[in-house]
Structures are given as structure tokens and as C-alpha cells.
Amino acid sequence: ICGLDRFTLDSKGPGFDGHVAEDHNLWTYIYLMCYLRNKDPTQLNGWEQYVYGKMMAEDASFYPNHEAIRLNGGGSGGSGASGGGGGVVSDRRTAR
């Protein structure tokens, strides 16, 4: 999902397999999109409105792009949807 390579995640993060299974699991994103499409738009909270709006505009910028909260010690897990940003590596050049 995020585009980070196996070497970076294995050497500087939680490991590629754990990252794919827990942080950026493809099925979690599919579930989120189905959930948002089936939820009454008037009942969406703030981040749900943001992602739903991006989905309706066919804008994939809500997906993480070379980012992982747990890289370099930031966060304790999760998909990153709760906000937070400590320890986020914004692209490969900074993940040294």
C-alpha cells in the first residue's frame, strides 16, 4: 500500500511482513472503502468525511505514500488512521 521497500522496513522498522499484515493490510483498506460507501454520509465523522470525499473525487492521496508510523520508533502500531505522525518517514531519501 505505502510503497516502502522490504529492505527499509526490515532494517529500520517492524519488518516487512509485520508491516504488511498489521499496518498496511490491503484488506483493511478494502474494508474501509466498503464501510464508507455503505455508511450514511450524514453520519460520517471528520476523518471518514475526508477519506470519503477523496474516494468520491477518485483521489488516492489519502493512501500513505512512502510513510509508516512505526518506522524509526514512531507509534506502537495500527493503520495510522488515528492521526499521529511521530516518526513518520516521508520518503525513501530520509529513511537512511
Side-chain angles (χ1 to χ4, degrees), residues 1 4 6-7 22-23 25 28-29 39-41 44 46 59-60 63 65 67-69 80 88 94-95:
I1 295 290
L4 288 169
R6 178 179 286 274
F7 176 78
E22 297 173 22
D23 300 337
N25 186 309
T28 302
Y29 285 89
K39 188 170 181 179
D40 180 352
L44 299 174
D59 178 355
Y63 285 107
N65 185 16
E67 295 179 335
I69 289 176
V88 174
T94 60

Side-chain angles (χ1 to χ4, degrees), residues 31-51:
Y31 173 82
L32 172 64
M33 291 188 293
C34 292
Y35 170 78
L36 293 176
R37 286 179 191 242
N38 289 307
K39 188 170 181 179
D40 180 352
T42 64
Q43 299 297 312
L44 299 174
N45 67 28
W47 73 265
E48 290 172 339
Q49 289 176 2
Y50 174 79
V51 173

Side-chain angles (χ1 to χ4, degrees), residues 46-96:
W47 73 265
E48 290 172 339
Q49 289 176 2
Y50 174 79
V51 173
Y52 182 78
K54 295 286 188 181
M55 287 172 44
M56 295 300 102
E58 297 184 10
D59 178 355
S61 66
F62 67 91
Y63 285 107
N65 185 16
H66 292 97
E67 295 179 335
I69 289 176
R70 291 199 298 172
L71 264 183
N72 296 326
S76 61
S79 65
S82 63
V88 174
V89 174
S90 60
D91 72 24
R92 291 179 191 199
R93 291 175 301 222
T94 60
R96 293 179 203 179

Side-chain angles (χ1 to χ4, degrees), residues 5-16 70-73 95-96:
D5 60 87
R6 178 179 286 274
F7 176 78
T8 300
L9 291 164
D10 283 343
S11 63
K12 304 208 184 291
F16 182 80
R70 291 199 298 172
L71 264 183
N72 296 326
R96 293 179 203 179

